[in-house]
Amino acid sequence: MASFKKFRVGPKFKLSGVDPAATPFSSGGDDAQREQLDALAIELDRLQNLLHAEGRRKLLLVLQGLDTSGKDGTIRWVFSRTSPLGVKVAAFKAPTEEERSRDFLWRCHAAVPRTGEITVWNRSHYEDVLVPVVEGWIDKGQTRQRYAQINDFERLLTQTGTVIVKCMLHISKQEQRVRLQARVDDPDKHWKFSLDDLAVRKKWEAYQAAYEKALTATSTDDAPWHVIPADSKHHRNLMIAGLLVKTLKDMKLRVPDADPALKGLIVE
């Protein structure tokens, strides 16, 4: 059985050391993986109910990755059996004028999970140590300062009952080319495509380097990063679902003690 530890970012982490096409958690073809994912999705729903019933803690899933790495697809399939009442999604686009007028963490802090909730961030505060770094909008000193601020922010969340799961969806340049071309070739998918995607693609190596530095600087004991091979959509979903189920089980969730006033009560 594969171990998530192999994909956890440590001090000597190298992004090039993770094969985007790897499928270590797979135990069969696509049909088998779909069955595994469905079973994990059902278990995730059960555990989310426990999280809500316990009413003390929260879970935050952070999804980062380049265009076409599958953030939307991950959310759709991993939470396919989970009640929408217990899962919230926040998608972070380019900051608005209102958001730019405040500190870069302001819009994220406003979207943290409430007690008993699972919240998923489709992109996140990490955009602010990726795009500005690659574009040269902030220098090395400002970048290090933001790393420290992110670590402080996440420490605050974990100390106040939030369990953080951070996943970087690691796609290969070749697979991204295939997925972008599929969007171009299918008129029904043109809405998913932007010429800006090609501009970002031209800076592939710069983004790989920015990701590697950001992951290493912000993978902590309380909020570690996991790099998820993302060339296989089925395996990507399976791995993240498995990581979430493991995380929730490790939390040892339990329902509150029974109300003694209900003992022997007969509903007429």
Short mmCIF file of all heavy atoms in Angstrom, two decimals, residues 183-206:
data_model
loop_
_atom_site.label_atom_id
_atom_site.label_comp_id
_atom_site.label_asym_id
_atom_site.label_seq_id
_atom_site.Cartn_x
_atom_site.Cartn_y
_atom_site.Cartn_z
N ARG A 183 -9.63 21.80 -25.08
CA ARG A 183 -10.54 22.93 -24.88
C ARG A 183 -10.65 23.77 -26.15
O ARG A 183 -11.73 24.28 -26.47
CB ARG A 183 -10.06 23.79 -23.71
CG ARG A 183 -10.12 23.10 -22.36
CD ARG A 183 -9.60 23.97 -21.23
NE ARG A 183 -9.68 23.28 -19.95
CZ ARG A 183 -9.31 23.82 -18.79
NH1 ARG A 183 -8.82 25.06 -18.77
NH2 ARG A 183 -9.41 23.13 -17.67
N VAL A 184 -9.55 23.91 -26.85
CA VAL A 184 -9.56 24.68 -28.09
C VAL A 184 -10.37 23.96 -29.16
O VAL A 184 -11.14 24.57 -29.92
CB VAL A 184 -8.12 24.91 -28.60
CG1 VAL A 184 -8.13 25.53 -29.99
CG2 VAL A 184 -7.34 25.80 -27.63
N ASP A 185 -10.23 22.63 -29.21
CA ASP A 185 -10.87 21.84 -30.27
C ASP A 185 -12.36 21.63 -30.07
O ASP A 185 -13.07 21.30 -31.02
CB ASP A 185 -10.18 20.47 -30.38
CG ASP A 185 -8.74 20.57 -30.86
OD1 ASP A 185 -8.37 21.64 -31.40
OD2 ASP A 185 -7.97 19.61 -30.68
N ASP A 186 -12.84 21.81 -28.85
CA ASP A 186 -14.26 21.57 -28.55
C ASP A 186 -14.95 22.90 -28.28
O ASP A 186 -14.71 23.53 -27.25
CB ASP A 186 -14.38 20.65 -27.33
CG ASP A 186 -15.81 20.26 -27.01
OD1 ASP A 186 -16.74 20.86 -27.60
OD2 ASP A 186 -16.00 19.37 -26.16
N PRO A 187 -15.83 23.35 -29.19
CA PRO A 187 -16.52 24.63 -28.98
C PRO A 187 -17.27 24.72 -27.65
O PRO A 187 -17.40 25.80 -27.09
CB PRO A 187 -17.49 24.70 -30.17
CG PRO A 187 -16.87 23.85 -31.22
CD PRO A 187 -16.19 22.72 -30.47
N ASP A 188 -17.74 23.57 -27.16
CA ASP A 188 -18.46 23.58 -25.89
C ASP A 188 -17.55 23.84 -24.69
O ASP A 188 -18.03 24.07 -23.57
CB ASP A 188 -19.19 22.25 -25.68
CG ASP A 188 -20.37 22.09 -26.63
OD1 ASP A 188 -20.86 23.12 -27.14
OD2 ASP A 188 -20.80 20.94 -26.85
N LYS A 189 -16.24 23.79 -24.93
CA LYS A 189 -15.29 24.02 -23.85
C LYS A 189 -14.50 25.32 -24.01
O LYS A 189 -13.58 25.59 -23.25
CB LYS A 189 -14.31 22.83 -23.74
CG LYS A 189 -14.97 21.53 -23.30
CD LYS A 189 -13.95 20.43 -23.12
CE LYS A 189 -14.60 19.14 -22.63
NZ LYS A 189 -13.62 18.05 -22.46
N HIS A 190 -14.87 26.12 -25.01
CA HIS A 190 -14.15 27.38 -25.22
C HIS A 190 -14.24 28.30 -24.01
O HIS A 190 -13.34 29.10 -23.76
CB HIS A 190 -14.70 28.08 -26.46
CG HIS A 190 -14.22 27.47 -27.74
ND1 HIS A 190 -14.57 27.96 -28.98
CD2 HIS A 190 -13.41 26.40 -27.98
CE1 HIS A 190 -14.01 27.23 -29.92
NE2 HIS A 190 -13.31 26.27 -29.34
N TRP A 191 -15.34 28.19 -23.26
CA TRP A 191 -15.50 29.05 -22.09
C TRP A 191 -14.44 28.75 -21.02
O TRP A 191 -14.16 29.60 -20.16
CB TRP A 191 -16.90 28.87 -21.50
CG TRP A 191 -17.17 27.48 -20.97
CD1 TRP A 191 -17.63 26.41 -21.68
CD2 TRP A 191 -17.00 27.03 -19.63
NE1 TRP A 191 -17.75 25.30 -20.86
CE2 TRP A 191 -17.36 25.65 -19.59
CE3 TRP A 191 -16.58 27.63 -18.44
CZ2 TRP A 191 -17.31 24.89 -18.43
CZ3 TRP A 191 -16.53 26.87 -17.28
CH2 TRP A 191 -16.89 25.53 -17.28
N LYS A 192 -13.84 27.56 -21.10
CA LYS A 192 -12.80 27.19 -20.14
C LYS A 192 -11.43 27.71 -20.54
O LYS A 192 -10.49 27.66 -19.74
CB LYS A 192 -12.71 25.66 -20.02
CG LYS A 192 -13.86 24.99 -19.31
CD LYS A 192 -13.56 23.51 -19.13
CE LYS A 192 -14.59 22.80 -18.29
NZ LYS A 192 -14.23 21.39 -18.06
N PHE A 193 -11.31 28.17 -21.79
CA PHE A 193 -10.00 28.53 -22.31
C PHE A 193 -9.81 30.05 -22.33
O PHE A 193 -10.72 30.80 -22.64
CB PHE A 193 -9.84 27.98 -23.73
CG PHE A 193 -8.48 28.24 -24.33
CD1 PHE A 193 -7.40 27.45 -24.00
CD2 PHE A 193 -8.28 29.31 -25.21
CE1 PHE A 193 -6.15 27.69 -24.53
CE2 PHE A 193 -7.04 29.56 -25.75
CZ PHE A 193 -5.96 28.76 -25.41
N SER A 194 -8.59 30.45 -22.01
CA SER A 194 -8.22 31.86 -22.08
C SER A 194 -6.82 31.96 -22.69
O SER A 194 -5.95 31.12 -22.42
CB SER A 194 -8.21 32.49 -20.68
OG SER A 194 -7.59 33.76 -20.71
N LEU A 195 -6.62 32.96 -23.51
CA LEU A 195 -5.28 33.17 -24.08
C LEU A 195 -4.25 33.43 -22.99
O LEU A 195 -3.05 33.20 -23.19
CB LEU A 195 -5.31 34.33 -25.08
CG LEU A 195 -6.07 34.04 -26.39
CD1 LEU A 195 -6.13 35.30 -27.26
CD2 LEU A 195 -5.43 32.89 -27.16
N ASP A 196 -4.72 33.90 -21.83
CA ASP A 196 -3.80 34.09 -20.70
C ASP A 196 -3.17 32.76 -20.27
O ASP A 196 -2.07 32.74 -19.72
CB ASP A 196 -4.54 34.72 -19.52
CG ASP A 196 -4.92 36.16 -19.77
OD1 ASP A 196 -4.33 36.79 -20.68
OD2 ASP A 196 -5.81 36.68 -19.06
N ASP A 197 -3.90 31.65 -20.50
CA ASP A 197 -3.36 30.34 -20.15
C ASP A 197 -2.07 30.07 -20.91
O ASP A 197 -1.13 29.46 -20.38
CB ASP A 197 -4.37 29.23 -20.47
CG ASP A 197 -5.65 29.36 -19.67
OD1 ASP A 197 -5.63 30.05 -18.63
OD2 ASP A 197 -6.66 28.78 -20.08
N LEU A 198 -2.02 30.52 -22.16
CA LEU A 198 -0.82 30.31 -22.98
C LEU A 198 0.33 31.20 -22.51
O LEU A 198 1.50 30.79 -22.55
CB LEU A 198 -1.14 30.58 -24.45
CG LEU A 198 -2.23 29.71 -25.07
CD1 LEU A 198 -2.39 30.03 -26.55
CD2 LEU A 198 -1.92 28.22 -24.88
N ALA A 199 -0.01 32.40 -22.05
CA ALA A 199 1.02 33.30 -21.53
C ALA A 199 1.67 32.72 -20.28
O ALA A 199 2.89 32.78 -20.11
CB ALA A 199 0.41 34.66 -21.23
N VAL A 200 0.85 32.13 -19.43
CA VAL A 200 1.37 31.50 -18.21
C VAL A 200 2.20 30.27 -18.59
O VAL A 200 3.26 30.02 -18.01
CB VAL A 200 0.22 31.11 -17.27
CG1 VAL A 200 0.73 30.25 -16.12
CG2 VAL A 200 -0.46 32.36 -16.74
N ARG A 201 1.74 29.52 -19.57
CA ARG A 201 2.44 28.31 -20.00
C ARG A 201 3.87 28.61 -20.48
O ARG A 201 4.78 27.80 -20.30
CB ARG A 201 1.63 27.62 -21.09
CG ARG A 201 2.22 26.32 -21.61
CD ARG A 201 1.25 25.61 -22.52
NE ARG A 201 1.89 24.55 -23.29
CZ ARG A 201 2.18 23.33 -22.81
NH1 ARG A 201 1.87 23.04 -21.56
NH2 ARG A 201 2.77 22.44 -23.57
N LYS A 202 4.04 29.77 -21.10
CA LYS A 202 5.37 30.16 -21.58
C LYS A 202 6.35 30.37 -20.42
O LYS A 202 7.56 30.37 -20.64
CB LYS A 202 5.27 31.42 -22.42
CG LYS A 202 4.58 31.21 -23.76
CD LYS A 202 4.48 32.51 -24.55
CE LYS A 202 3.79 32.29 -25.89
NZ LYS A 202 3.65 33.56 -26.66
N LYS A 203 5.81 30.55 -19.22
CA LYS A 203 6.66 30.75 -18.04
C LYS A 203 6.67 29.50 -17.17
O LYS A 203 6.79 29.58 -15.95
CB LYS A 203 6.15 31.96 -17.25
CG LYS A 203 6.19 33.25 -18.07
CD LYS A 203 5.55 34.42 -17.33
CE LYS A 203 5.57 35.68 -18.20
NZ LYS A 203 4.92 36.83 -17.53
N TRP A 204 6.54 28.35 -17.79
CA TRP A 204 6.41 27.07 -17.09
C TRP A 204 7.52 26.87 -16.05
O TRP A 204 7.25 26.57 -14.89
CB TRP A 204 6.41 25.92 -18.09
CG TRP A 204 6.23 24.57 -17.48
CD1 TRP A 204 7.21 23.74 -16.99
CD2 TRP A 204 4.99 23.89 -17.24
NE1 TRP A 204 6.67 22.59 -16.49
CE2 TRP A 204 5.30 22.66 -16.63
CE3 TRP A 204 3.66 24.21 -17.51
CZ2 TRP A 204 4.32 21.75 -16.27
CZ3 TRP A 204 2.68 23.30 -17.15
CH2 TRP A 204 3.02 22.08 -16.54
N GLU A 205 8.76 27.00 -16.46
CA GLU A 205 9.88 26.74 -15.55
C GLU A 205 9.89 27.71 -14.39
O GLU A 205 10.22 27.34 -13.25
CB GLU A 205 11.21 26.81 -16.32
CG GLU A 205 11.37 25.74 -17.39
CD GLU A 205 11.22 24.32 -16.84
OE1 GLU A 205 11.58 24.10 -15.67
OE2 GLU A 205 10.72 23.45 -17.57
N ALA A 206 9.54 28.96 -14.64
CA ALA A 206 9.50 29.95 -13.57
C ALA A 206 8.44 29.59 -12.54
O ALA A 206 8.65 29.74 -11.32
CB ALA A 206 9.24 31.34 -14.14
#
